[in-house]
Amino acid sequence: MTKIMGILNVTPDSFSDGGRYTALEQAVAHAKQLVQDGADAIDIGGESTRPGARFVSAEEEIKRVVPVIRQLKQEIDVLISIDTYKPVVAKAALEAGADIINDVWGSKWGDQSMAQVARAFNVPIILMHNRDNRNYGHFIEEVVGDLYESIEIAQAAGVPDEMIWLDPGIGFAKDYAQNMELMNRLDVITNLGYPVLLGTSRKSFIGQALDLPTEERLEGTLATTCLGIMKGCAWIRVHDVRENKRASLMMDAMLGGGQIG
């Protein structure tokens, strides 16, 4: 059964919902709504990863995310993922009760110690594909190669394979055509043998395809969710949980011959 990860950005400048959930009460209320709508996990981020976003210090990021995590662990029973590439932030979040590390740099940022944090806390780590350029020779092959580099970093740190998840990194270091090609060939990633998280919600390639602003990309996101499930993605990371949950249940029912759960 496909799992849904709801997005909670406690940032002032995220591309879609920046500034809406910066107050603790707003963040907690939104997380509760996401769970009510069907989220199996909440992904909490304290720094925007949109192009051109302002760098946030680890101290500031910790101040944003830790109080929310602590409060949520008291009030709801759901997995919490910390969306960060900074090991010190991940450590603070895990100490506060987070269950999963979601690393947009695939444990390659800085001293590459994020995987060591995952191993120390024995939690899953999501290794997303990312790089600092778009200079691909053979696009799909290099995406897979980059992911294998992240996997090897995690394995070298002692992270067991069952704690490694992958994310193809739609929208990161990829242009419109590359995002579309990777969506079409997601099975190359899901066939690597690790659970795959797909994060396409409201992203710019959907806006380019449909010529629509961020707030009108729900239907496009639903299409990517359905394709991702068909291609074998285990988790879908989205802003609009209720609609994507319904789409995933329908896809699971069809692909399972009518069986749900």
Side-chain angles (χ1 to χ4, degrees), residues 72-130:
L72 288 179
K73 294 304 286 189
Q74 294 177 18
E75 299 194 25
I76 58 176
D77 182 20
V78 67
L79 292 171
I80 292 179
S81 168
I82 176 62
D83 182 357
T84 186
Y85 57 88
K86 303 185 186 80
V88 66
V89 176
K91 182 175 184 292
L94 293 167
E95 289 172 342
D99 307 285
I100 302 166
I101 297 172
N102 183 12
D103 184 355
V104 299
W105 278 103
S107 199
K108 294 180 180 180
W109 186 80
D111 61 4
Q112 301 187 350
S113 64
M114 183 69 90
Q116 296 171 16
V117 177
R119 178 67 185 94
F121 285 83
N122 194 33
V123 297
I125 181 169
I126 304 168
L127 302 170
M128 196 191 81
H129 176 264
N130 203 351

Side-chain angles (χ1 to χ4, degrees), residues 139 164 194:
F139 175 61
I164 296 174
Y194 298 90

Side-chain angles (χ1 to χ4, degrees), residues 229-257:
I229 294 170
M230 285 186 66
K231 297 285 188 177
C233 294
W235 283 82
I236 307 293
R237 179 183 180 274
V238 292
H239 299 85
D240 303 292
V241 167
R242 181 181 60 180
E243 295 87 346
N244 281 275
K245 183 71 172 184
R246 291 174 179 173
S248 72
L249 287 171
M250 190 63 196
M251 289 299 299
D252 288 345
M254 292 188 292
L255 293 173

Side-chain angles (χ1 to χ4, degrees), residues 29 55 57 64 109 123 131 147 198 201 214 232 237 257:
F55 175 80
S57 70
R64 292 177 181 181
W109 186 80
V123 297
R131 53 162 62 183
L147 284 171
L198 180 65
S201 187
T214 306
R237 179 183 180 274

